[in-house]
Amino acid sequence: FERSGSDRGTGQTVVNYKGMKKDFGENEFELETAPGTLKEDEIIGIIGENGLGKTLFAKMLAGGIETDEGESPEASISYKTQYIEASDVKVEDAFPQEANMNTKRFQTRIEEPLELEPLYERKLSNLSGGELQRVAIAICLSRKADAYLLDEPSAFLDVESRVNLGKTLKRFSRKEEKPLMVIDHDLLLLNYISDRGIVFKGEPGVKGKSTEPMQIENALNKFLKEVDVTFRKDPSTGRPRANKPESQKDEEQRRKDEFYEI
């Protein structure tokens, strides 16, 4: 993953969403999310530890869970869930009618980059985790929507497939001029694809709170500061690596308040 300079995310705002709250009751989880905007052809990475409400935020945004305060936006959001159900349906029959699978647009932006053709005749239940993931991503992107929201799209994918996924998502967002929101634990992927980021903080399983969207570099820095880890770019591979605690590099980055050195 080599991040390139980009002026994406400077287009028109296509989705406005309000701050939202959800409280499941005493001794249960509560979530408070900040308002934000989505701009045409930008990608927003959603970052945070497990149990802080990232998936709950996604479901509230997509209108799948009712909020206690605030409301999901009027916009149509195509949502890929974190966990994918494998049924006995054939892959080609799992796509919605609106996918228009015979069009050049579908073939060049979705089918070819996600290598779907060899999978069409197989049943979802016979696919590997990575194959099922690629199909779920494709189904999400094939819908007509104002914005696309993908929960953990890199799960079960090997390194090569993750690189391919990053390129596919960036190209799709740019060509369609549509915003994407991506929840993932792969910081390298999020750094590569994202223009802005949202950070979730709090106490896992108890309380979560999100920030408004900010520049991705600031979001990654904020997250790593929260979990108290510094990352540097490996000079030989270019890949981010966690610094050894109290090493010279770790202490140098902490002094500069650069927890994610790019």
Side-chain angles (χ1 to χ4, degrees), residues 1-220:
F1 287 121
E2 274 300 319
R3 184 169 171 79
S4 55
S6 165
D7 60 355
R8 290 166 62 222
T10 57
Q12 287 188 320
T13 296
V14 290
V15 178
N16 278 294
Y17 62 90
K18 297 176 180 174
M20 296 178 287
K21 285 186 182 179
K22 184 71 182 175
D23 190 341
F24 290 95
E26 199 175 343
N27 299 324
E28 297 292 332
F29 186 72
E30 67 176 283
L31 175 66
E32 183 179 345
T33 65
T37 59
L38 306 181
K39 299 172 184 177
E40 58 189 10
D41 87 346
E42 79 166 338
I43 298 179
I44 291 184
I46 299 175
I47 310 162
E49 291 182 273
N50 285 333
L52 292 178
K54 301 186 301 294
T55 292
L56 176 59
F57 168 63
K59 288 178 177 175
M60 292 195 303
L61 208 57
I65 286 184
E66 206 170 311
T67 60
D68 294 332
E69 285 183 37
E71 54 196 29
S72 58
E74 294 290 320
S76 61
I77 296 176
S78 179
Y79 174 46
K80 184 201 83 68
T81 58
Q82 182 177 359
Y83 300 105
I84 307 148
E85 284 186 30
S87 65
D88 281 337
V89 173
K90 272 205 306 187
V91 168
E92 65 180 353
D93 296 331
F95 284 82
Q97 236 176 343
E98 64 187 298
N100 294 329
M101 295 166 73
N102 295 321
T103 61
K104 187 77 174 164
R105 171 194 166 274
F106 179 86
Q107 288 158 3
T108 57
R109 295 180 193 173
I110 299 171
E111 179 183 275
E112 289 167 13
L114 291 170
E115 299 172 354
L116 297 178
E117 206 168 351
L119 307 179
Y120 282 149
E121 292 301 316
R122 293 168 60 189
K123 290 181 178 178
L124 293 172
S125 52
N126 293 335
L127 300 182
S128 69
E131 290 166 341
L132 194 58
Q133 185 70 271
R134 280 168 22 220
V135 170
I137 293 163
I139 290 170
C140 175
L141 298 181
S142 74
R143 300 188 192 108
K144 288 185 172 68
D146 297 316
Y148 297 82
L149 176 48
L150 297 96
D151 199 344
E152 297 287 355
S154 79
F156 305 110
L157 298 184
D158 58 29
V159 173
E160 192 179 332
S161 297
R162 288 182 182 208
V163 171
N164 193 40
L165 169 67
K167 291 176 180 174
T168 302
L169 295 179
K170 285 180 81 166
R171 195 183 305 118
F172 180 87
S173 177
R174 187 170 68 247
K175 295 287 187 186
E176 296 285 312
E177 297 186 338
K178 294 286 176 74
L180 270 62
M181 299 180 87
V182 179
I183 300 170
D184 213 279
H185 284 91
D186 188 333
L187 298 186
L188 193 56
L189 172 70
L190 292 181
N191 177 52
Y192 172 68
I193 65 173
S194 304
D195 302 288
R196 293 191 292 162
I198 293 169
V199 183
F200 275 70
K201 303 186 292 182
E203 189 180 344
V206 179
K207 188 171 185 175
K209 192 170 185 176
S210 79
T211 66
E212 292 187 11
M214 64 184 76
Q215 284 302 112
I216 188 61
E217 295 83 0
N218 296 339
L220 287 165

